[in-house]
Amino acid sequence: MPTIARLPSATIAMYAADHLPPHFHVRMRDGREALVVIETLATLAGDIKPRELAPVLAWASAHQSDLTAKWQELNP
């Protein structure tokens, strides 16, 4: 699972050959995880509170095209 970014409270990663829709994995420092859809930045699954996820979503919003390109690279 390639790590895409390390933020102060979370790590963002993607799996190769992963299921649709295109998404990324968020792992908090305490081990909690969530899946976030790249196109809409909606939470697909997970147990991270919205206020904790806010910095991740702000980062993802600024890097949406990079996330899409990485998804296409890992999931041709």
Side-chain angles (χ1 to χ4, degrees), residues 16-28:
D18 209 351
H19 61 86
L20 293 174
H23 63 280
F24 59 90
H25 296 251
V26 178
R27 183 171 196 156
M28 303 302 285

Side-chain angles (χ1 to χ4, degrees), residues 8-66:
S9 62
T11 300
I12 298 171
M14 280 186 201
Y15 289 106
D18 209 351
H19 61 86
L20 293 174
H23 63 280
F24 59 90
H25 296 251
V26 178
R27 183 171 196 156
M28 303 302 285
R29 290 166 78 191
D30 63 8
R32 290 176 295 137
E33 296 187 32
L35 304 179
V36 177
V37 178
I38 295 169
E39 184 178 350
T40 63
L41 299 180
T43 303
L44 187 61
D47 58 353
I48 301 173
K49 295 177 183 175
R51 67 175 170 75
E52 295 175 296
L53 204 52
V56 172
L57 297 179
W59 179 91
S61 178
H63 295 89
Q64 248 173 329
S65 61
D66 298 328

